[in-house]
Amino acid sequence: MAIIFVTVALKPEILDPQGQAIANALPRMGFSLKPVSTRQGKRFEFTFDHAPTEIEIAEIKKAAETLLANPVIETFEIRMEH
């Protein structure tokens, strides 16, 4: 079995109000974390019962470019686990 993860996040230059809200809530909720930046994103998982072929991987990349991420404001990363 293999899982391909596609992680989508806002580009660094794009304001992330949800990430900022999380950062602001941390101390109010008793956390002592002091991150330089907090950003939110989304993750998609594609599970296969076989090792994905190069064609399947290319199709996932194409889906990330055209469906999963908005290339104007978001970036994506693809990672596979066996």
Side-chain angles (χ1 to χ4, degrees):
M1 179 162 38
I3 303 173
I4 296 179
F5 299 96
V6 179
T7 303
V8 178
L10 291 170
K11 290 181 177 180
E13 62 271 18
I14 302 297
L15 181 64
D16 184 353
Q18 186 173 355
Q20 188 60 50
I22 292 166
N24 293 342
L26 288 170
R28 288 195 313 267
M29 295 181 71
F31 293 97
S32 61
L33 300 170
K34 297 188 188 315
V36 173
S37 163
T38 303
R39 305 202 40 100
Q40 62 87 33
K42 53 191 170 187
R43 183 175 87 169
F44 301 89
E45 296 180 13
F46 297 86
T47 304
F48 295 87
D49 61 0
H50 60 276
T53 66
E54 291 299 319
I55 291 171
E56 289 171 321
I57 294 168
E59 286 186 351
I60 288 174
K61 183 175 188 276
K62 179 81 170 165
E65 293 170 340
T66 59
L67 176 65
L68 306 178
N70 177 345
V72 174
I73 62 169
E74 295 174 317
T75 61
F76 66 88
E77 175 182 273
I78 298 173
R79 180 176 61 84
M80 184 165 42
E81 261 184 30
H82 294 279

